[in-house]
Amino acid sequence: MKKKIVLAYSGGLDTSFCAVYLSKKMNYQVHAVTVNTGGFSDTEISDIKKRAYELGVYSYTCINATEDYYNTCVKYLIYGNVLKNNTYPLSVSAERTIQAKSIAEYALEINANAVAHGSTGAGNDQVRFDVIFTILCPNVEIITPIRDLKLSREAEIQFLAENGFEINFEKAQYSINKGLWGTSVGGKETLTSHSYLPENAFPSQLDKTIATSTEITLHFKKGELVGINNKTFSNPVKAIQNLESIASPYAIGRDIHVGDTIVGIKGRVGFEAAAAILILKAHHLLEKHTLSKFQLNLKSQLADWYGSWLHEGLFLDPAMRDIEAFFENTQDKVNGKVFITLLPYRFILNGIKSDNDLMNAKFGSYGEMNLGWSGNDVKGYSKIISNSLSIYHKVNANQTEVDAN
């Protein structure tokens, strides 16, 4: 019997090459698996399935991991207000980790001998897949034809043609990767340090028929988005998707992320993530009203760690579960409404309303009046809090005089 191999399959050129190569050249029984993390419609999945069987795979499976993606990852990105380099909502980084996890679990389920992915040797995804596979299915061989053979796009197309597959793989001007938490955009501009992506590079274009501005209200309960305007959602995934449909016509949530890749080089990637950016910014504003000073301080530090570990493919580090537990514990009082104005290419956070708002007039108004302390209280506090610094500066001022003499 042929050995079983599970192929992470997207239907693009690289994974199409892998499907044929693994079957015809390596004599594997190929089980193609697409993991949908919110980026594929039913029609797109149907087309991907059809193409997989045309390429000769033994079986095709689509795993809908969108809710698992939210519950195990996106939820904590929201709780932590995680933006890589204060810019990027980690759309692709997070997706790849959950996709690799689903592939590994499926490989174990069918007792596969090997797993494969179509990553090249130049990017982050190869590490993310390899790390997850190595941890979750250590006895299953990892095969990466594109990386190992160092193939060009032209060579892949030629191989497919030689094996009877005349498929139109005309290279798009911009590479697009869509998911629940945003869409990445790559092109010739992102290979430079100075060029911005043109308007037509972004999948969601500004709808010029929309009103100049729209007021929306986001409802949060224990840190999760549960409602938009007058509509309540039992499933946060539906809320995110609904917000995306409302906000993306305004062409907001666009930017270019510049960062350090896992493989040691700098890289740029464009993205659009209207719902993700709105949720993160609205959630953070609500937290600034409802959490203590030191909760906010500690959360921001842990958010940097969490985002970096996730980006580097280290999602399965137990420290990540510890950070998630802390994040979740902070969300009990993050309840209320956030009022937002949507405008073309931008948005305004107008304010919040919450029963847990710590900015409460009963305790004083900043710069206006105080109700919880007296002027003498402040004088005494200021003297005590500055005492150690006063000693430092007095000692070092005297030392400066000694050194001068």
Side-chain angles (χ1 to χ4, degrees):
M1 291 180 64
K2 290 184 176 181
K3 291 183 178 180
K4 295 179 184 177
I5 189 167
V6 174
L7 170 63
Y9 180 77
S10 66
L13 175 58
D14 292 335
T15 57
S16 295
F17 170 88
C18 290
V20 178
Y21 183 84
L22 293 168
S23 175
K24 290 187 174 293
K25 295 298 183 181
M26 299 191 72
N27 202 34
Y28 274 105
Q29 184 187 90
V30 179
H31 298 263
V33 178
T34 301
V35 182
N36 188 0
T37 47
F40 296 113
S41 66
D42 290 343
T43 300
E44 288 169 328
I45 289 296
S46 178
D47 291 341
I48 291 170
K49 178 179 180 180
K50 179 182 177 184
R51 174 174 290 179
Y53 280 116
E54 288 172 351
L55 292 168
V57 303
Y58 182 83
S59 74
Y60 173 83
T61 302
C62 176
I63 298 172
N64 190 340
T66 308
E67 288 193 24
D68 182 52
Y69 176 35
Y70 173 82
N71 289 321
T72 61
C73 189
V74 171
K75 178 170 68 174
Y76 299 105
L77 294 175
I78 297 170
Y79 289 172
N81 311 307
V82 178
L83 285 171
K84 181 69 172 170
N85 288 3
N86 297 314
T87 304
Y88 180 46
L90 289 172
S91 310
V92 176
S93 316
E95 274 188 3
R96 292 293 182 263
T97 296
I98 300 305
Q99 288 166 349
K101 177 173 169 284
S102 298
I103 294 291
E105 291 168 348
Y106 186 80
L108 293 174
E109 182 183 324
I110 69 167
N111 296 314
N113 305 97
V115 288
H117 60 82
S119 301
T120 69
N124 290 324
D125 288 345
Q126 57 177 328
V127 178
R128 293 171 182 142
F129 277 109
D130 283 7
V131 168
I132 296 294
F133 292 164
T134 299
I135 295 169
L136 292 185
C137 48
N139 298 318
V140 176
E141 185 180 1
I142 302 171
I143 297 177
T144 55
I146 308 299
R147 177 173 65 185
D148 296 343
L149 297 171
K150 299 180 181 179
L151 294 172
S152 68
R153 182 179 184 84
E154 292 70 27
E156 293 177 55
I157 293 173
Q158 183 180 345
F159 172 83
L160 288 170
E162 290 171 352
N163 284 274
F165 301 101
E166 296 288 349
I167 304 172
N168 181 16
F169 281 110
E170 181 181 348
K171 187 175 182 179
Q173 189 175 1
Y174 294 97
S175 61
I176 305 295
N177 186 92
K178 184 179 180 182
L180 176 69
W181 205 230
T183 300
S184 68
V185 184
K188 64 181 187 297
E189 292 84 4
T190 56
L191 298 176
T192 72
S193 295
H194 65 277
S195 298
Y196 195 74
L197 289 164
E199 180 72 20
N200 63 4
F202 294 97
S204 296
Q205 296 290 295
L206 176 67
D207 183 349
K208 295 179 181 178
T209 67
I210 58 175
T212 304
S213 65
T214 297
E215 307 294 323
I216 63 169
T217 303
L218 303 188
H219 302 258
F220 289 89
K221 183 176 182 181
K222 294 185 182 297
E224 292 188 88
L225 181 66
V226 297
I228 302 170
N229 297 329
N230 296 318
K231 188 173 184 178
T232 301
F233 299 87
S234 59
N235 185 336
V237 169
K238 299 295 184 185
I240 293 170
Q241 292 170 333
N242 184 258
L243 181 58
E244 184 70 26
S245 69
I246 294 170
S248 62
Y250 286 87
I252 61 177
R254 296 176 174 183
D255 208 338
I256 291 183
H257 165 58
V258 183
D260 295 285
T261 66
I262 304 172
V263 293
I265 58 177
K266 295 283 186 181
R268 295 175 91 211
V269 64
F271 66 89
E272 60 171 35
I277 296 298
L278 281 173
I279 292 167
L280 289 169
K281 294 298 184 180
H283 177 268
H284 192 204
L285 177 61
L286 187 59
E287 281 197 331
K288 287 190 281 188
H289 280 265
T290 58
L291 297 187
S292 75
K293 174 168 67 174
F294 297 112
Q295 280 180 306
L296 290 167
N297 184 280
L298 187 53
K299 278 183 85 266
S300 67
Q301 296 175 54
L302 290 176
D304 284 342
W305 280 102
Y306 191 85
S308 293
W309 253 230
L310 182 61
H311 177 270
E312 303 293 306
L314 301 174
F315 178 74
L316 295 178
D317 189 315
M320 297 289 277
R321 308 293 82 76
D322 298 331
I323 295 173
E324 288 166 358
F326 172 77
F327 282 167
E328 189 146 17
N329 195 61
T330 65
Q331 298 303 293
D332 186 58
K333 302 297 188 293
V334 186
N335 307 302
K337 304 174 183 178
V338 182
F339 307 105
I340 304 173
T341 301
L342 302 181
L343 298 130
Y345 301 110
R346 64 190 182 95
F347 61 91
I348 300 170
L349 298 176
N350 297 309
I352 70 103
K353 186 175 183 180
S354 171
D355 291 339
N356 303 107
D357 190 356
L358 299 177
M359 186 176 167
N360 194 313
K362 289 190 295 184
F363 304 104
S365 297
Y366 179 67
E368 297 292 332
M369 60 183 296
N370 66 73
L371 300 174
W373 66 91
S374 69
N376 285 331
D377 292 333
V378 177
K379 289 178 183 178
Y381 172 79
S382 299
K383 188 170 184 179
I384 292 171
I385 199 68
S386 64
N387 189 44
S388 64
L389 291 175
S390 295
I391 293 170
Y392 173 87
H393 284 281
K394 287 175 182 177
V395 168
N396 285 288
N398 293 336
Q399 186 62 46
T400 301
E401 292 176 4
V402 171
D403 292 342
N405 294 329

